[in-house]
């Protein structure tokens, strides 16, 4: 027989249960000694701040700039919510330092997003891979076999010869002045160098135009906010309201068809024993030689790992590197005094009777200051790839719960008026005077264009070598003028990175003796 509670017993039970819940909740809260970060207002039930960041036709405003506006209102550390996901946005020196020193291991992971699944070989690409054995082994392989000091030194002649070939193609002995699209030329140059190192190809015979178009689509598609990413409801994968998932699948197909072809060629070459010596081997050759004695998969097939890594290397070494060189050249062309001073330094250190070499770069201090200043103003990734907290931690005195997505606003940080005088001004001199001691290699948290901590960009040294060498050749070999005698348009485009919206079209005239431009 069941015993029914009397009203008094039921009330006493409910009150006791309520006190018990309150006790357990307060006990849990007592362990959290720090408050949560400020949360921006305007969030809706369930959907959070999705509508807050909707595009209002202001296409030139990058997400990092919108977050920067919010930082001006709510401080350099704040949170917002998209669907079921909590985001932490940081933009101050102190917060960056805490995130990537004390809490670096806590923020080393990546969230699983749809663009990583559909565009990045199911998150096998190094930049989006989960933090763990696969990522560690893959990064070690890339560092040792392509980006180490010794490997970069072995490829030095490749970089120099390709830059020389491309720079000499700009020369026209029959005309003192030539109109060129410098943006297209820079794209081809950066493709030529990395394709030669990674797959033994060049832009013209390595499907360069197809890859260039696909990479541009990648950068835009990866910025889209997908409903599945913020709600994790499988139905939204099928729904695809915006059509972006379908577009990502097509972009991936275009890219994978090319990379698979490269891999097949290298496998066939090995089967026929047509493989050169160590100095002639590209990255795929080296990785294939390790197939028998090193397991790289950890959940992925060996071929998928190779293709994902090749994609990572080629994408990072072309899109972000090329767009940054374009910003450097555009800013110098628009600032004639800076260009003049850089060329005078070149004439003094190198002269006009030979081409600049990599060994000269260390003495071109003003050129280095220019590159550093443009890295500050136009970082290759203005908003870092998302990090994911794997456990509770404290940032800037605030409690950060496990599972929070971290967005580091590098653009906002590097234009912080508390650190940088006239932060929006292009002023290379600052890195020769007041900020001369600040480096960009991840140890000075006010300038981290390549990121910092465990997930910092591994290709920093390669990128700087190519950038310095190519820019040095351009300003040594030619004078530049705009086609209209007006400054170049400096508007920004859209995407994960911040490209120039318009191409750099200029008139060039040679500065050196004609014999130096001959093949």
């Amino acid at each position: 027989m069941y015993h029914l509670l009397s009203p008094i017993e039921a009330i006493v039970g409910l009150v006791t249960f309520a006190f018990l819940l309150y006790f357990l909740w307060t006990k849990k809260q007592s362990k959290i000694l720090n408050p949560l970060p400020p949360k921006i207002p305007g969030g809706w039930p369930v959907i959070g701040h999705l509508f807050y960041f909707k595009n209002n036709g202001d296409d030139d405003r990058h997400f990092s700039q919108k977050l920067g506006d919010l930082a001006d209102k709510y401080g350099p550390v704040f949170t917002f919510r998209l669907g079921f996901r909590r985001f932490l946005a940081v933009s101050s020196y102190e917060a960056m330092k805490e995130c990537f020193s004390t809490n670096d291991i806590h923020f080393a992971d990546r969230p699983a997003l749809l663009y990583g699944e559909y565009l990045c070989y199911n998150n096998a690409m190094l930049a989006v891979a989960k933090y763990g054995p696969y990522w560690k082994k893959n990064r070690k392989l890339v560092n040792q076999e392509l980006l180490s000091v010794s490997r970069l030194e072995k490829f030095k002649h490749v970089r120099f010869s390709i830059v020389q070939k491309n720079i000499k193609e700009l020369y026209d002995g029959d005309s003192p002045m030539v109109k060129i699209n410098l943006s297209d030329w820079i794209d081809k140059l950066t493709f030529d160098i990395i394709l030669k190192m990674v797959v033994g190809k060049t832009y013209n015979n390595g499907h360069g135009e197809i890859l260039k178009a696909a990479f541009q689509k990648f950068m835009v598609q990866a910025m889209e906010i997908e409903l599945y990413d913020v709600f994790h409801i499988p139905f939204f994968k099928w729904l695809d309201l915006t059509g972006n998932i379908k577009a990502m699948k097509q972009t991936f197909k275009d890219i994978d068809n090319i990379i698979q072809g490269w891999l097949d060629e290298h496998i066939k070459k090995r089967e026929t024993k047509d493989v050169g010596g160590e100095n002639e081997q590209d990255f795929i050759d080296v990785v294939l030689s390790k197939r028998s004695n090193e397991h790289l998969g950890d959940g992925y097939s060996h071929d998928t790992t190779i293709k994902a890594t090749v994609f990572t290397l080629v994408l990072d070494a072309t899109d972000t590197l090329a767009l940054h060189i374009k910003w450097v050249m555009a800013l110098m062309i628009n600032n004639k005094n800076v260009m003049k001073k850089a060329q005078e330094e070149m004439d003094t250190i190198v002269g006009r009777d030979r081409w600049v070499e990599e060994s000269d770069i260390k003495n071109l201090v003003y050129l280095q200051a220019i590159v550093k200043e443009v890295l500050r103003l136009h970082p290759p990734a203005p908003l870092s790839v998302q990090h994911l907290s794997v456990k509770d931690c404290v940032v800037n005195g605030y409690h950060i719960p496990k599972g929070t997505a971290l967005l580091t606003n590098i653009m906002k940080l590097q234009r912080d008026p508390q650190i940088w005088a006239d932060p929006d001004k292009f002023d290379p001199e600052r890195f020769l005077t007041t900020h001369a001691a600040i480096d960009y290699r991840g140890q000075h948290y006010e300038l981290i264009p390549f990121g910092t901590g465990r997930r910092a960009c591994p290709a920093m040294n390669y990128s700087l070598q190519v950038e310095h060498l190519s820019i040095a050749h351009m300003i040594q070999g030619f004078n530049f003028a705009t086609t209209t005698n007006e400054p170049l348009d400096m508007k920004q485009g859209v995407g994960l990175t911040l490209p120039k919206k318009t191409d750099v079209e200029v008139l060039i005239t040679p500065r050196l003796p004609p014999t130096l431009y001959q093949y």
Side-chain angles (χ1 to χ4, degrees), residues 184-195:
D184 288 344
W185 183 86
I186 291 170
D187 287 336
K188 179 180 179 298
L189 173 68
T190 53
F191 263 108
D192 273 345
I193 296 173
I194 195 62
L195 287 179

Side-chain angles (χ1 to χ4, degrees), residues 93-109:
Y93 171 92
E94 294 78 11
M96 295 283 187
K97 186 175 181 178
E98 279 197 68
C99 286
F100 297 112
S101 57
T102 308
N103 296 312
D104 188 36
I105 186 64
H106 303 152
F107 285 115
D109 208 2

Side-chain angles (χ1 to χ4, degrees), residues 226-294:
E226 299 296 334
L227 290 177
Y228 176 80
D229 289 337
V230 297
F231 290 108
H232 295 297
I233 298 174
F235 171 73
F236 288 128
K237 281 188 181 182
W238 172 83
L239 188 61
D240 191 19
L241 285 172
T242 63
N244 193 48
I245 294 176
K246 180 180 179 181
M248 285 193 289
K249 290 179 179 179
Q250 183 58 53
T251 299
F252 172 78
K253 183 179 179 181
D254 294 340
I255 294 169
D256 183 62
N257 284 342
I258 293 174
I259 298 178
Q260 182 66 58
W262 291 339
L263 180 58
D264 292 341
E265 287 180 23
H266 281 73
I267 293 173
K268 184 177 181 179
K269 182 172 67 172
R270 292 192 64 79
E271 291 173 348
T272 59
K273 308 298 181 182
D274 185 20
V275 182
E278 183 181 359
N279 288 337
E280 300 303 320
Q281 287 187 323
D282 56 51
F283 178 75
I284 294 183
D285 287 327
V286 173
V287 177
L288 286 175
S289 71
K290 296 176 176 291
R291 180 193 290 262
S292 60
N293 57 15
E294 184 173 346

Side-chain angles (χ1 to χ4, degrees), residues 453-504:
R454 287 169 172 80
R455 302 301 294 242
C457 176
M460 177 184 64
N461 287 334
Y462 166 82
S463 298
L464 291 172
Q465 286 177 346
V466 173
E467 184 163 354
H468 283 124
L469 185 65
S470 57
I471 294 170
H473 269 78
M474 282 186 273
I475 65 174
Q476 183 192 24
F478 298 95
N479 288 315
F480 297 84
T482 61
T483 58
T484 62
N485 289 324
E486 296 292 329
L488 293 168
D489 184 351
M490 302 298 281
K491 290 180 181 177
Q492 301 163 168
V494 295
L496 276 178
T497 52
L498 262 181
K500 268 190 91 281
K501 191 170 186 177
T502 57
D503 287 347
V504 181

Side-chain angles (χ1 to χ4, degrees), residues 91-97 372 375-377 379 409-416 418-420 431 434-435 437-449 452:
S91 57
S92 69
Y93 171 92
E94 294 78 11
M96 295 283 187
K97 186 175 181 178
K372 192 182 289 189
L375 283 170
R376 183 188 71 83
L377 286 171
N409 196 340
I410 297 172
M411 173 71 82
K412 180 67 173 175
L413 167 76
Q414 295 183 174
R415 297 192 183 209
D416 186 345
Q418 295 184 13
I419 301 173
W420 310 97
F431 287 108
T434 55
H435 294 85
I438 295 179
D439 194 28
Y440 42 53
R441 299 181 181 274
Q443 300 305 310
H444 296 95
Y445 294 94
E446 59 267 69
L447 185 69
I448 50 172
T452 184

